[in-house]
Amino acid sequence: MAATPLAAQDVAPMPEPAEDYAAMSDADLVDAWQNLDRDASTCATRLPLLRALEVLRPGVIELRHDVMRMEIWCHYERDDYANALIALKALEEVDGSFSQPAALAIAANSGQGDALLARMRIMALDGDAESYSSLTSDLWFFAQRKARDLDLTAEIDALDAEIFLRGHHDQFDPAIRYSIVDGAFNHGVASNDSRLAETAISQHRQPGYFDTYLADRKYEAYWPIIERRVGPAMETIIREYLATARRAFAADPENPENLNDLGHALYYAGEFHELLAFADAQLGRDDLEQTMVEDEGWLLNLKAYTLDALGRGDEADEVFDSLARVGRENGGWGVNFVINRASRLVGQQRWEEGLVAANEAKLVSDVYGSTFAKLLVARDQLCSLTALGRAEEAAEQLAFVRENGPEFPTIATMALLCQDREEEAVALLLEGFKNEKERSGIITEMQAEEVDLFYTPTKLRRANDLLAEHADLKSAFEEYGRTIPEEFYSMASRARYSN
């Protein structure tokens, strides 16, 4: 695959050295290095300092490697990913070491599919138990998204199948582990390898994937197996997921990913009171807002949704207010919770509060949010403004929805329906059905609300509401999907949507 041209990347210019390091003595350079500030610039300080030191100490292999490593970091910090990859290759050719997670991040940002797949293979196949367990889901899923953007979904699924068949997928964190099994299943389906597909399904323990499996016709040949796997009311898969999550948390309670996973399992199982007690026990410290990490944030998010399910909305408000404060201070991961708070309020048709929350979410998402995150915010702003009789103020949000609707048709549909743009929404969905990358998401969104295992109920109109009145949309839906039989609605979801 061809490299992304340097001119196509937004590369920051190389800064001038902070000091005239070339004029310094060896002793002065060593002293300067030892007294560097933690936030000293890589390109303006660290790299030129090491280069000057290397001139005075020629032939020192480790120093040469240090310079090469710093060159990589300098390229990386300037968003010059293509040259960072070139420098990384040069370092490895002389047996120099470099952080493998950082190398994966560079490759993911580079736009070079071959390099990205190679780095993913190194991380997932050439490591050990320690490196597998320490690989973060944020980095792995970022790399996956970049690969899928490069139309490498089939290659990613094939890699997942290879990991799965080697048998070490259980050494990764729970979220990565489940995605590996999902990819292996999809590879089995796509390659007509029924043995692989059936083995993967038999070992799949994350209920959140199964709404797509049950609804999308590309899995139709496996529906009997999938239905047996989940069981009536999804009881079989959910109870197995809960048992697995309990064991993992008991074995390593200090791992925040296990805490997050057990929280989700309790929530899916409808063990609402146990979840509240678990969240309070794990998150009851006085300095929670100052010390929270992302996985704890998800547990707190689940606590809020659980309070909603129990009809304790005022308490859920308080939890989300706290979570939003944390989110605003930790935008890199906190943006999720600031947006979830706004979407909940808007979904409950609390328009004034929702608009304030959505405006706050925009401030965070403008800096830290993906296009998807920004679209959620635009939807919430547009729906609130329109409901408050201020639709003319939502022109910017409507333009953003239309611009990004083809990539995220179900979210755009909700926004369009807030302004009664029904025909436009139908046209967007029909076009989305032609796009294999978007099709499964549309099929899932056209299910009854009770199919959803996570989000708190919304009163906003959605794609599902259009099926009855639009024969062309119903025809497209039935060509590619089906309505999941009610017998597979989870008891927890029924309980959440009955309040």
Side-chain angles (χ1 to χ4, degrees), residues 42 61 80 159 171 177 179 184 315 344 381 445 464 488:
T42 299
I61 298 301
D80 188 356
L159 173 59
Q171 297 179 25
R177 182 190 318 150
S179 77
E315 294 173 70
R344 171 180 173 269
Q381 289 179 309
E445 188 63 17
N464 173 267
F488 300 112

Side-chain angles (χ1 to χ4, degrees), residues 371-382:
T371 301
F372 178 73
K374 293 173 183 176
L375 187 62
L376 291 173
V377 173
R379 177 202 64 188
D380 293 341
Q381 289 179 309
L382 180 148

Side-chain angles (χ1 to χ4, degrees), residues 92-113:
E92 292 178 336
E93 286 176 347
V94 295
D95 297 325
S97 63
F98 192 76
S99 161
Q100 288 300 332
L104 177 58
I106 291 169
N109 280 293
S110 73
Q112 299 183 37

